[in-house]
Amino acid sequence: MTDRDPDFSDRVTRLERVWANLPGLGTLAAVNHTTVGLRFMVTGAAFFLVGGLLAMLMRTQLALPEQDIISPEIYGQLFTMHGTVMMFLFAIPILEGLGLYMIPKLIGARDLVFPRISAFGYYCYLFGGLIILSSLFLGIAPDAGWFMYTPLSGEEFSPGPGSDFWLLGITFVEISAMAAGIELTVSILRERANGMSLSRMPLFCWYILAMALMIVFGFPPLILASVLLEVERAAGLPFFDVAGGGDPVLWQHLFWLFGHPEVYIIFLPAAGIVSTLIPVFAQRPIVGYRWIVLSIILTGFISFGLWVHHMFTVGIPLLAQAFFSVASMLVAVPTGIQIFAWLATLWTGRVIFSLPMLWIFGFLVVFVGGGLTGVMLALVPFNWQVHDTHFVVAHLHYVLVGGMLFPLMAGLYYWLPLLTGRMPSESLGRLGFWLFFIGFNATFLLMHLTGLRGMPRRVYSYEAGLGWDWLNLLSSVGGFILAAGVAVIIIDVILHLRYGRRAPRNPWRADTLEWALDKPPPTYNFVSLPTFRTRHPLWEHPELPESIASGQHALAGAEHDRRETYGSDAVTGKVREVFHLPSNSWLPLLAALSLAVVCVALLVRTYDVALVGVVAAAVFLLRWGWVNGAHPGMAPLSNDEPTDPPLHSRTTDGPGLWGMVVTLMANGTLYLCLIFGWVYLWTVAPEWVFPEDPRLPLSGMLVSGGLLVIAALLQHRAAKRLAAGNAAGLQARLWQAAGLGAAHFAVLLWLTLEAPLEPTGNSHDAVLLMLLIYLLFHGALAALLTAMQALRVARGYIGVRLPYEPVVLRPLWIYTTGIFWLGVVIFILLPAGWAP
Amino acid sequence: MMFRRLAAPMLLGTLLGLAGCSGPLSTLDPAGPSAATAALLWWGMFAAFSLVWLAVVGLWLYAMFRQPASDDPARARRIEKRWIIGGGVALPVVSITVLLAYGIPAGHSMLPLPLDKGESLEIHVTAHQWYWEVMYPESGIALDDELHIPAGKPVDVHLRSADVIHSFWVPRLGGKLDAVPGRTNVQRLQADEPGSYRGQCAEYCGVGHAHMKFTVTAHTPEDFEAWKRQETQGDD
Amino acid sequence: MRHRAVHPAHLVLGLVVWAVWFVAMYGGLSVACAVAPPPVADGALTWVNGLLLLLTAFTAAALLYAAWRCWLAARAEDDVSGDARSRFIPVVSATVHLSAAMAVLAIGVPTIVLPPCP
């Protein structure tokens, strides 16, 4: 037996030591995905209870007509916070947490590619969530609805800090979503076990990949909108204010450009749970793997073409509405394909009907109902009637609770044995399900009728005798049954921790790799990293758990006393590098704390404190960037380095480059949204005017842009020569690039300061100023990071054997150059050529 | 005491439930062509989609509890193809096609397009926090929270907002349309019969939202002219 | 010889084209209605509808061609390797291109019947 071998058990001990979290409070410095993923999920569950409590308060108020338990002011805060908490602090984070927790275990890796970013994301989520929640206890919570329509959410009609809590807090929380999106995309593409080609990837990974990419493209519109609205509120720059040349409908476009994809960001991972569980309980492979992959891709894209169906009553041309109406209905096709693929799997399998399958059944009943009312709502003339009524409230709960919470509960019961090593009880669990299911349908099924009978959403009270009385009473009773169901489930989960029967190694006879792990899973996941030859590793190689634990596969142990896992080709899954990953670090916590200071300081509008916070955050983030590559804290050069495969920092195509490219895709989306805002206000806003004289001299812009092009070319040459093995003059070239970048920045800053802008007077100048700030930030960032790399050359962290880092910065330089010239064309040349 | 408070709405509710869909704000009790079209669309979709829903849930239950007859892979593949292409692709595509064939012309019919004969009556409505300011441009009549219209004749409501976004909605006459600052949106309404129809703001607009109601009174053409005369008398 | 249409970018390319087309349709219509709205009385027979339909037809044709190319690539892959796995990307790509073409056609249809601006 190999596991009795003292030499081998030493290796495992060493592996455990290298991957352990720090003891005591040091656990706050943990970065590994198992710990961080769990924290995300537990925090999300806590926020779910808060959101649920708010819903119970609303249902109490609406139980009978003309009640005055809750004032309209408080009611406004309740429904705003219920939506906000459930969407931003529960649904998205808990699914991100599930992704962070599960993905490495499914793809045979030891951790995600950017562990510190996961930890940073968690702290941004936690602090942002607590800041938003604090407003509720202070009685000054946002109260303009979770979609914050302007002008109601603007300074004039919401003068208190409520809207600021929303805008700043949510933007802070969104950092965590972006972090998870980038992290998961790169991890799934570049970290899969040897041999796990795209076509062998578990379906759950496809779903999470789609979710992650949708976050990357879906969140930037909201981030931009939130920044613009906060700037409008705090500094008076008119983006949405009609009198200043803005337009409130721009907010709606940007919000729903995020808001609709967001529904699918929530649905896709949940559907991933369904696609994972159904084959396990049907005891056969999923039917139509390729069909499902096709559906995932289709959903991911088409869901970006639906956003206007939330705006059918705004007064947009009917033909334009028809485009969105058809697109909204088309998205039913990929959903239908998945539902029937699941049905066919059950049809041809031998189904074991246990507790997770009960929740899957609940999912089907509720979600199909919600999907069908969704198709109804996509029909424009019908939508004009039921939009903003309780019909929509019922529909969205059917879709979101059915499409997200039911599968999530199925997943909870399914993966509980993995997390705790104990089996959930069947009896209490079933009681919880039935209470939840009956309560849910009692609350929401007849609420469709309440809406059809004309009850608008977001009313704190209603007259008796309008035909809504008994329907509302029924909904309230149902709501409390639902709450009882949640309580039973919580009790069940707590009891199982103590009384649950010990789980066997693979209790559900599943096919995926996470069940090869010990329970609860160790922080390093796998003692040795297996090679994949099939989509169903545990069905075809039941001996895998043994052979992994006894170190019979690759990279057994932690030979160099650092955290390592394999990096592989994005398509074939063939191993290409060894990724060395960072260990415990306080930097994510410190950086997030600094940003929390910024957030609170902006809330109370003490801008000097905010500036201190920004500087502190920048220092921590730069330090974070410094402890990388060949830094002694990471993977210093040594003479016994692995060469086949090599360490990623010794190559020119590591995860950092991928992370940079994905980040720039998100960033580019933000920039495109800014351009959209510009063109939109230009063509649509009723009071928009172009100023008489040009704001920026074209010659000055050409000088600034010319400097930027030369800097980018120099950086490109430096990176290219280094990749070819030539480090001569590297440091000087990087200094030159940084210097020219700084010169570009200085010229642009001078042009900005000299420009006769009146940003508070008209939206033309306001948007132009935002563009200039955006360009200035990127110019400064590229110059600063390149200067830092020049220093790293001097320290020996970059060189012939370490050609990695300049390659990572190259896309940033290209991007910075691209946005500058695109900005010149669209913000200066186009208006000059078009306007009289 | 509590019981009596509960009993009255329960009893009333049961009666109303039996009566079906009537109600002063019910979209299912239409009193104008737009609302009637929308209600018809609802009943059609409700019937068809209820069947779809029952069929999917029924099939799912059957699939879970049936014992597959054989393990013949070729047979299994045929079943798979049948379900995915038949249920996943064909069913939604057919449903969508039928829906749009009815829905797009229906939407078109609700637009405030130029009439073949005659003129529509123009009424200007400006939404405020939290009331509706109503103005008849041809006669100069100004009112708050009430509209008067001739029955059987199309009326174009020109919607503006003085502050935040509101939404103008008379459920028994037609769909809703937003009043957006800086824009004028035009909503066409028509009441088939004389009577009083209730309306309300449908877009959340602040603490007074729940009470931002109004009425639309439809008169016979003769009564409408009489009402106009009565309103304008004494003004000039 | 390996076919170029087996590149994994084809998994999303068809829908990227769809997205660009969609933005062009919505943006083009909005700008046209803001700048030079055709008279309402013309119904659906306007230059705006004509241009949008032309764009739709062209995009759909390009996507159908791409779907056909990916399909050929999948068959070629079959002959080269005989391994069903290597067909995965071209087969899924072909269905993605095909679906994108169908989505373009379906969303373009209302242009035939509805007037552009009211």
Side-chain angles (χ1 to χ4, degrees), chain A residues 49 124 203 207 456 690 755 794 809:
Chain A
L49 297 180
C124 288
L203 276 173
Y207 281 102
F690 279 104
L809 271 196

Side-chain angles (χ1 to χ4, degrees), chain B residues 119-124 135-142 150 153-156 224-225 227-228 232 236:
Chain B
E119 285 275 299
S120 56
L121 174 70
E122 186 176 325
I123 305 178
H124 291 183
M135 232 280 287
Y136 289 73
E138 56 184 79
S139 56
I141 299 170
K153 195 177 165 210
V155 176
D156 285 350
F224 182 68
E225 289 307 316
W227 171 81
K228 269 207 309 200
T232 43
D236 42 17

Side-chain angles (χ1 to χ4, degrees), chain A residues 198-200 206 253 289-290 293-294 297-298 301-302 305 307-308 316-320 322-324 326-327 330 535 571 683, chain C residues 8 11-12 15-16 18 22 25-26 29 34 85 88-89 91-92 95-96 99 103 106-107 110-111 114-118:
Chain A
L198 281 180
S199 59
R200 282 180 192 150
W206 278 102
H253 277 294
Y289 179 92
R290 286 197 299 226
V293 172
L294 171 70
I297 300 174
L298 281 176
F301 274 86
I302 293 184
W307 80 92
V308 168
I316 289 167
L318 183 64
L319 178 56
F323 296 156
F324 290 93
V326 180
L330 282 184
R535 234 178 244 164
V571 178
T683 48
Chain C
L11 287 175
V12 292
L15 286 162
V16 170
W18 171 84
F22 192 80
M25 291 286 278
Y26 178 51
L29 176 66
R85 298 254 179 234
F88 177 76
I89 287 176
V91 167
V92 175
T95 53
V96 167
S99 311
I107 297 172
T111 320
L114 286 176
C117 298

Side-chain angles (χ1 to χ4, degrees), chain A residues 157 247 252 287 313-314 329 340 346-347 350 364-365 384-385 387-388 452-454 460 463 470 680 684, chain B residues 13 20 25 27 53 60 63 66 80 87 96 163 165 169 171 176 178 183 185 198 200 202-203 211 213:
Chain A
F157 299 102
D247 186 27
Q252 300 190 15
V287 166
T313 63
V314 167
M329 293 185 184
F340 280 90
L346 294 174
W347 194 277
R350 292 172 195 282
L364 177 93
V365 172
W384 285 338
Q385 271 292 18
H387 175 73
D388 267 337
L452 286 166
R453 284 183 169 180
Y460 77 100
E463 280 173 56
W470 66 276
Y680 181 85
V684 172
Chain B
L25 287 157
T27 63
W53 183 81
W60 188 279
R66 82 190 270 274
E80 295 161 14
I96 292 170
D163 37 52
I165 297 173
W169 187 33
K176 59 183 73 64
D178 291 355
R183 301 174 179 224
N185 282 335
R198 293 183 54 165
Q200 60 194 348
E203 179 68 63
H211 301 298
K213 298 164 184 168

Side-chain angles (χ1 to χ4, degrees), chain A residues 148-400:
Chain A
M148 292 288 287
Y149 276 6
T150 60
L152 184 63
S153 58
E155 185 74 357
E156 187 184 349
F157 299 102
S158 295
S163 296
D164 301 321
F165 270 103
W166 195 97
L167 295 166
L168 294 165
I170 290 300
T171 306
F172 195 18
V173 170
E174 275 159 7
I175 295 175
S176 82
M178 294 306 302
I182 294 162
E183 168 102 280
L184 288 168
T185 304
V186 180
S187 298
I188 293 172
L189 288 178
R190 287 289 275 112
E191 227 193 0
R192 301 196 303 273
N194 190 18
M196 188 192 273
S197 60
L198 281 180
S199 59
R200 282 180 192 150
M201 208 158 73
L203 276 173
F204 188 76
C205 301
W206 278 102
Y207 281 102
I208 295 291
L209 179 61
M211 172 199 83
L213 283 167
M214 287 181 72
I215 288 177
V216 166
F217 292 107
F219 273 68
L222 180 62
I223 294 176
L224 177 74
S226 304
V227 170
L228 295 184
L229 183 53
E230 184 54 32
V231 170
E232 178 176 295
R233 286 178 56 89
L237 272 61
F239 301 106
F240 309 109
D241 175 32
V242 176
D247 186 27
V249 179
L250 174 61
W251 168 270
Q252 300 190 15
H253 277 294
L254 291 174
F255 184 89
W256 291 116
L257 198 49
F258 145 83
H260 204 85
E262 197 249 17
V263 174
Y264 290 88
I265 288 171
I266 291 173
F267 170 64
L268 281 179
I273 296 175
V274 179
S275 284
T276 306
L277 265 59
I278 282 187
V280 171
F281 289 100
Q283 304 183 77
R284 57 149 296 153
I286 189 95
V287 166
Y289 179 92
R290 286 197 299 226
W291 281 99
I292 291 183
V293 172
L294 171 70
S295 309
I296 297 169
I297 300 174
L298 281 176
T299 310
F301 274 86
I302 293 184
S303 60
F304 278 87
L306 318 181
W307 80 92
V308 168
H309 79 213
H310 297 268
M311 300 165 61
F312 280 162
T313 63
V314 167
I316 289 167
L318 183 64
L319 178 56
Q321 297 191 34
F323 296 156
F324 290 93
S325 171
V326 180
S328 306
M329 293 185 184
L330 282 184
V331 86
V333 176
T335 311
I337 291 174
Q338 290 171 75
I339 285 175
F340 280 90
W342 296 327
L343 176 71
T345 311
L346 294 174
W347 194 277
T348 49
R350 292 172 195 282
V351 182
I352 302 166
F353 195 78
S354 56
L355 191 52
M357 280 306 275
L358 196 58
W359 282 98
I360 297 278
F361 174 69
F363 148 78
L364 177 93
V365 172
V366 173
F367 179 74
V368 171
L372 291 169
T373 53
V375 176
M376 295 182 185
L377 279 167
L379 196 66
V380 178
F382 180 67
N383 181 291
W384 285 338
Q385 271 292 18
V386 289
H387 175 73
D388 267 337
T389 67
H390 270 68
F391 188 91
V392 172
V393 179
H395 157 74
L396 74 91
H397 283 91
Y398 263 76
V399 173
L400 293 175

